[in-house]
Amino acid sequence: MKKDFLTLLDLTPQELAGLLQRSREMKQSPDPGHCPLLGKSVGLLFEKASTRTRVSFEVGIHQLGGQSIFLSPRDVHLSRGEPLHDTARVLSRYLSALVVRTFSQETVQILAKEADIPVVNALTGLTHPCQALADLFTIQENTDQLKGTRIAYLGDGNNVANSLITGCSMMGLDLVLACPDGYDPDKGYLENGRRLASRSGGSVQVVRDPTAAVSGARFLYTDVWTSMGQEDEARKRRRDLAPYQLNTELLSSASEDAMVLHCLPAHRGEEITDEIMEHPRSIILDQAENRLHTQKALMEWLLS
Ligand code: CP
Ligand code: NVA
């Protein structure tokens, strides 16, 4: 049966741990002769902008011996009304996998149901599981073990936060999210995260006070206040989320060796200051690099 990767729940916790281990091997000992995607073509259907996800997938596919084909909405018939199910079935006749960035989670679900090939969610308005893979890997690189590590996420309870909840709760981390009223993560992802955490020994909490959230945290994580598609709300979001800015004062309330994460792109001066972006304990660029290694491990798992 073909595998998809629409959320982290498409993996068991054991498979997730295995992917993180494989990412580490691929990062530490790159093997140019290892080509599990040889002769395979992977489509990248992106309805939203992307720097990291697009480039890391294209480069990763190339490094594994495969070919990537970027399909922008401008160029394919989907934007002119060709049904999703026809698109999925036709693309399955040419491609070995389809990586999709789109607005609604339902779109990736329909594509996965109709396609005979693996479908990968490269971000929807609800989730960003490829990002969470790299987040967990980056945390693991910088700590003895994932289990019991405390991480504070600050700001908007968005797609990145929803996937982080699932990932942390599968792997037994203690995640505290500080979000203002009205900006909580998705209720279903929170409830499911708490269920998963009760099995893994982790925990998921939502609080209002950012200083309380960062207290004792080894990792501080933030993302933009206005995600793609929410541009009309930018002014209100800047006002409501201002107390959650990741700045020097907040960093000084965390554990003294606390490290800083951001999925990027950042709006410097909004959710994070320049000073924190450039701080010696910012591991944001490693986190971005790790998109490449974790997605290579993912593609190998899906296609070999
Ligand atoms: N973090 C992330 O997904 O970045 P891009 O939007 O640049 O792909
Ligand atoms: N929350 C952001 C993440 C970008 C990678 C967005 O959806 O725009």
Side-chain angles (χ1 to χ4, degrees):
M1 211 175 86
K2 68 135 174 166
K3 300 178 223 170
D4 295 303
F5 185 63
L6 305 188
T7 80
L8 285 173
L9 297 170
D10 287 318
L11 303 169
T12 62
Q14 291 72 28
E15 285 171 329
L16 176 52
L19 271 192
L20 297 178
Q21 173 58 29
R22 193 65 193 117
S23 308
R24 183 186 290 255
E25 289 161 12
M26 284 181 151
K27 181 171 184 178
Q28 287 178 351
S29 325
D31 174 5
H34 178 63
C35 294
L37 268 59
L38 197 65
K40 297 185 197 283
S41 299
V42 177
L44 269 67
L45 180 62
F46 276 40
E47 295 187 313
K48 289 177 169 178
S50 170
T51 299
R52 281 141 288 269
T53 309
R54 175 183 176 176
V55 177
S56 55
F57 264 111
E58 294 216 36
V59 170
I61 291 161
H62 174 73
Q63 288 180 358
L64 295 178
Q67 174 206 24
S68 64
I69 303 176
F70 188 74
L71 304 163
S72 92
R74 218 183 26 251
D75 303 327
V76 294
H77 283 285
L78 206 54
S79 56
R80 295 180 57 247
E82 183 167 13
L84 277 175
H85 59 273
D86 287 344
T87 305
R89 284 143 71 197
V90 169
L91 290 178
S92 299
R93 300 291 177 106
Y94 309 127
L95 301 171
S96 297
L98 184 63
V99 178
V100 184
R101 170 167 286 202
T102 188
F103 291 85
S104 127
Q105 187 76 13
E106 201 191 350
T107 302
V108 289
Q109 285 164 350
I110 295 171
L111 287 168
K113 180 166 165 277
E114 298 294 337
D116 302 321
I117 52 174
V119 172
V120 175
N121 173 1
L123 179 145
T124 68
L126 185 66
T127 55
H128 197 0
C130 292
Q131 182 65 54
L133 277 183
D135 300 342
L136 288 171
F137 180 67
T138 309
I139 293 169
Q140 196 170 52
E141 273 188 322
N142 287 282
T143 187
D144 301 336
Q145 55 164 8
L146 289 176
K147 225 182 211 336
T149 295
R150 183 174 164 104
I151 162 164
Y153 175 92
L154 303 150
D156 186 20
N158 59 16
N159 45 6
V160 166
N162 291 333
S163 291
L164 190 68
I165 290 171
T166 308
C168 288
S169 55
M170 284 171 78
M171 302 309 281
L173 285 87
D174 294 314
L175 174 63
V176 187
L177 303 112
C179 312
D181 195 16
Y183 293 85
D184 282 357
D186 178 81
K187 204 161 165 268
Y189 276 79
L190 260 180
E191 279 167 11
N192 199 45
R194 288 187 175 129
R195 254 195 312 276
L196 291 165
S198 70
R199 272 182 244 146
S200 67
S203 61
V204 182
Q205 284 177 69
V206 178
V207 300
R208 299 279 172 246
D209 177 3
T211 309
V214 304
S215 166
R218 284 285 326 281
F219 295 88
L220 308 188
Y221 193 158
T222 192
D223 182 20
V224 290
W225 291 339
T226 300
S227 285
M228 290 179 275
Q230 299 175 328
E231 289 76 9
D232 292 351
E233 303 167 18
R235 186 198 287 253
K236 175 171 165 35
R237 287 175 163 271
R238 269 198 296 276
R239 200 179 52 227
D240 294 347
L241 286 146
Y244 294 80
Q245 183 187 63
L246 185 39
N247 52 29
T248 310
E249 195 189 333
L250 208 53
L251 184 63
S252 67
S253 304
S255 158
E256 64 178 16
D257 54 356
M259 293 179 164
V260 174
L261 296 161
H262 191 310
C263 63
L264 300 178
H267 289 177
R268 289 169 178 240
E270 291 191 16
E271 77 278 0
I272 190 164
T273 58
D274 264 330
E275 209 178 355
I276 296 295
M277 286 286 294
E278 305 296 338
H279 196 281
R281 279 188 273 125
S282 159
I283 49 172
I284 290 170
L285 289 178
D286 292 335
Q287 184 186 6
E289 177 190 327
N290 288 336
R291 299 291 306 276
L292 174 67
H293 309 297
T294 48
Q295 286 160 197
K296 281 172 73 179
L298 175 69
M299 296 304 291
E300 180 190 64
W301 179 73
L302 287 170
L303 286 175
S304 53

